[in-house]
Amino acid sequence: MALSEAILAKLRAPPALGGAPLGNLFRAISDRAATTLVRYAHAAGARYFDTAPHYGHGRSERRLGDALREFTRDEYLLSTKVGRLLDPCSDAPRDQHGYVDTLPFVQRYDYTAKGVRRSLEDSLQRLGLARIDLVYVHDIDRAPHGEAHAGRLADALDGGLPALAALKSQGVIGGYGLGVNDVAICREVLRHADLDVILLAGRYTLADQSALAELLPECERRGVALVLGGPFNSGILASGARPRDGSVPYFNYAPAPGDMVDRVAAIELVCTEFSVPLRAAALQFPRGHTAVTCVLAGARSAAEFDENLRFSRFPIPAGFWHALRERGLIDAKAPLPREAGSR
């Protein structure tokens, strides 16, 4: 396999902790709350932690490193991302890209070999650690870049990805791949590069199975580990179609479109029929596919972490999954999960 067995073992062993909330995604948490959460997750058995420079403009990396530094380094797996460099800016907006109270930096994209190496060096400084295990090329899909996409993709294919391959061959990192929200870019890059791992956010979930037909089989065929991020699709699979606080449900980082609201509402009716919490179904559905190595969810507190852990183990009867399939609410070809905890 492309990744070592030691890395795969940590990826496969739930729970894991995604670091976007540690960067104040949508709302702020304190430094103390963030480090307390990471230490709590480690004590609860979490051995995979993910972060990125993008998350709070370095705030997530700083908080994660402060918390993890007290633990033996080989105990846990750490990933971050490259493709954005952070430049200091005294008048940088406090709120940027969905993150609030960010550190005083502005982002610029750089997927070249030089940019990737600098990004990793900067991340190690923010983390205060000497090693990063997995590195994801972040958001190289078309949506963030518009007309600049072709040039930035060429930078990644010709520069950034070969640089990461060299770092892996030198033993500096354990593996590399993509961290994206889009299926098409994964398939495009796989035509040109051998990847070890893909962190795919939101494209194989209870609400969106767009990765099922082509990408997941290709990952299995090529031995590419798939980490499924965003299992709640930015919120709607946690809050439901009509959040109790009256807020707008979010899907894919934006207010959910009407057809998605209707789809999730229909899923919730089945949840009610079988007494299955929506969040439990959302966390367990991706694990039904053998291509999915890890389901990665974030949390803002120990209570949220505990809820995610509890829901990931909640007993869900087989009849629930069959009902979703029979009513056309999940893809007819999607493999159904086994009993919680069996993987």
Side-chain angles (χ1 to χ4, degrees), residues 174-199:
Y176 65 94
L178 302 183
V180 294
N181 303 283
D182 180 67
V183 172
I185 193 63
C186 297
R187 299 188 64 241
E188 184 171 359
V189 171
L190 283 169
R191 287 195 289 269
H192 301 280
D194 289 323
L195 305 178
D196 301 312
V197 60
I198 293 173
L199 198 172

Side-chain angles (χ1 to χ4, degrees), residues 103-117:
L103 295 178
F105 298 90
V106 293
Q107 301 180 8
R108 61 182 170 91
Y109 291 108
D110 191 335
Y111 295 96
T112 65
K114 182 179 179 181
V116 161
R117 286 192 290 267

Side-chain angles (χ1 to χ4, degrees), residues 210-252:
S210 53
L212 175 64
E214 297 180 342
L215 180 60
L216 268 60
E218 186 169 2
C219 286
E220 285 197 297
R221 180 177 64 82
R222 296 178 59 156
V224 178
L226 187 74
V227 177
L228 192 285
F232 299 127
N233 279 121
S234 302
I236 194 168
L237 289 177
S239 69
R242 296 172 181 81
R244 292 182 180 179
D245 63 2
S247 62
V248 174
Y250 264 59
F251 172 81
N252 206 23

Side-chain angles (χ1 to χ4, degrees), residues 79-331:
S79 61
T80 194
K81 303 177 183 73
V82 295
R84 289 178 172 91
L85 296 177
L86 303 180
D87 294 329
C89 179
S90 59
D91 60 351
R94 295 296 298 275
D95 301 346
Q96 301 184 61
H97 311 292
Y99 291 86
V100 303
D101 191 25
T102 61
L103 295 178
F105 298 90
V106 293
Q107 301 180 8
R108 61 182 170 91
Y109 291 108
D110 191 335
Y111 295 96
T112 65
K114 182 179 179 181
V116 161
R117 286 192 290 267
R118 179 187 153 183
S119 181
L120 282 176
E121 290 168 359
D122 289 352
S123 288
L124 287 167
Q125 291 287 340
R126 286 188 291 267
L127 287 158
L129 297 169
R131 188 178 88 237
I132 294 165
D133 300 296
L134 298 178
V135 180
Y136 300 111
V137 176
H138 202 190
D139 289 342
I140 194 61
D141 34 319
R142 187 174 301 276
H145 304 290
E147 294 181 358
H149 178 255
R152 288 175 179 157
L153 178 59
D155 286 344
L157 293 175
D158 298 337
L161 285 166
L164 292 174
L167 290 172
K168 183 190 176 186
S169 69
Q170 295 160 13
V172 176
I173 61 175
Y176 65 94
L178 302 183
V180 294
N181 303 283
D182 180 67
V183 172
I185 193 63
C186 297
R187 299 188 64 241
E188 184 171 359
V189 171
L190 283 169
R191 287 195 289 269
H192 301 280
D194 289 323
L195 305 178
D196 301 312
V197 60
I198 293 173
L199 198 172
L200 181 66
R203 302 286 80 84
Y204 188 68
T205 70
L206 193 62
D208 180 345
Q209 292 111 57
S210 53
L212 175 64
E214 297 180 342
L215 180 60
L216 268 60
E218 186 169 2
C219 286
E220 285 197 297
R221 180 177 64 82
R222 296 178 59 156
V224 178
L226 187 74
V227 177
L228 192 285
F232 299 127
N233 279 121
S234 302
I236 194 168
L237 289 177
S239 69
R242 296 172 181 81
R244 292 182 180 179
D245 63 2
S247 62
V248 174
Y250 264 59
F251 172 81
N252 206 23
Y253 311 104
D259 59 343
M260 183 55 65
V261 171
D262 292 342
R263 181 180 185 84
V264 172
I267 292 172
E268 287 183 277
L269 289 176
V270 184
C271 287
T272 299
E273 181 181 336
F274 285 86
S275 299
V276 171
L278 178 63
R279 281 182 288 178
L283 287 168
Q284 293 184 39
F285 171 77
R287 290 161 47 191
H289 201 295
T290 54
V292 176
T293 307
C294 172
V295 176
L296 180 66
R300 285 185 175 82
S301 65
E304 281 192 11
F305 179 85
D306 279 344
E307 278 197 337
N308 287 343
L309 187 57
R310 178 169 62 86
F311 287 134
S312 72
R313 297 170 174 172
F314 187 91
I316 297 179
F320 169 78
W321 304 113
H322 287 286
L324 289 177
R325 176 185 280 174
E326 290 163 3
R327 299 176 200 184
L329 295 173
I330 56 174
D331 194 299

